[in-house]
Every structure is written in structure tokens, then in C-alpha cells.
Amino acid sequence: MSVLQLSQALAAAAAERTGDEAIQAIAAAYIGFVRQHPGLYEASFHAPDIHEPELAAASTATLDILLHALQPYPLSEAEALHAVRGLRSLCHGFASIEAQGGFNMDFNSNESLSLTVQAFLNGLQHLHQN
């Protein structure tokens, strides 16, 4: 069950980390999971079926991991949920482009991921500053 495996990988990455460090580790673990299990990831990338309680529980666990990691940021509950969607989209898009050979340049894609995630996190830190 890849949803559970992904959730476990993200939990391990986030363990004993907070803030930027936790989110960076989660993003790296997400991309690492897709690199190691591309077919499994693609086959499982859909909304959880409520008739499959194990899959729904794994999806909820992943959401909880991400929400916990986002706690240090000045976000309302709704903003945190939007941020989870944004982070998942960032990771999924990055993984999908990479899997399709879109980052085929002789350029470190891990550095690209880290920089992109940091830009996302900087945006969260400054969301309410005008």
C-alpha cells in the first residue's frame, strides 16, 4: 500500500524536526519516495476511497504530519490546509516533471527542490506582513 509507505516515509523525515528543517526533510522524502517507487506512486495518486479505511487512515496520517510540521508558521487553520495543498502540489509537480525527464540538465535537482521549497516557506513566513 503505497499511500501508507509514503506516509511512513514522511513521518520518518519529519521526526524530531520542526519548521523549515521539517518541511525541507518532508519534501526531500516525498521526492525520494517517488524516485524509488515511481510506478507505485503514480498508481496510488488519487483521493482516498472512503470504502478503503486503511488508505483513508494513511491519507489522514499524512495530512496530520504536514499540519504538525506547519505549526511554527503564522497560519490560520484554513491557511494551513491551503499550505498543505501547495506543498503537495509543489512536490507532486516536481516529482512528475523529474520523472518525465524534464530536469535532464546537468544541474543538481536536489538543490532546485531545496531552493523551491525555501521560497515556498519564505512566503508562509511573510504571509501576513504588509
Side-chain angles (χ1 to χ4, degrees), residues 25 44 53 56 58-59 62 67 74 78 89 122 125 130:
S44 69
S59 292
T62 299
L67 289 172
S89 297
N122 291 346
Q125 288 288 1
N130 289 324

Side-chain angles (χ1 to χ4, degrees), residues 37-108:
H37 311 286
L40 190 60
Y41 173 78
E42 281 300 318
S44 69
F45 193 81
H46 57 80
D49 185 344
I50 60 170
H51 301 295
E52 295 184 50
E54 290 180 27
L55 292 178
S59 292
T60 298
T62 299
L63 176 62
D64 291 344
I65 291 162
L66 295 172
L67 289 172
H68 180 74
L70 289 167
Q71 284 181 344
Y73 302 92
L75 304 172
S76 69
E77 184 177 340
E79 289 167 339
L81 290 171
H82 290 304
V84 166
R85 285 181 174 175
L87 182 61
R88 286 185 63 217
S89 297
L90 186 153
C91 290
H92 177 73
F94 192 97
S96 295
I97 292 169
E98 185 176 71
Q100 297 296 319
F103 298 147
N104 216 12
M105 296 171 61
D106 187 23
F107 203 73
N108 189 319

Side-chain angles (χ1 to χ4, degrees), residues 4-49:
L4 179 57
Q5 291 171 307
L6 177 59
S7 181
Q8 290 169 339
L10 301 184
E16 300 186 31
R17 292 183 170 99
T18 59
D20 288 8
E21 184 183 6
I23 300 297
Q24 286 283 0
I26 287 169
Y30 191 109
I31 301 304
F33 180 86
V34 177
R35 287 173 180 161
Q36 290 178 341
H37 311 286
L40 190 60
Y41 173 78
E42 281 300 318
S44 69
F45 193 81
H46 57 80
D49 185 344

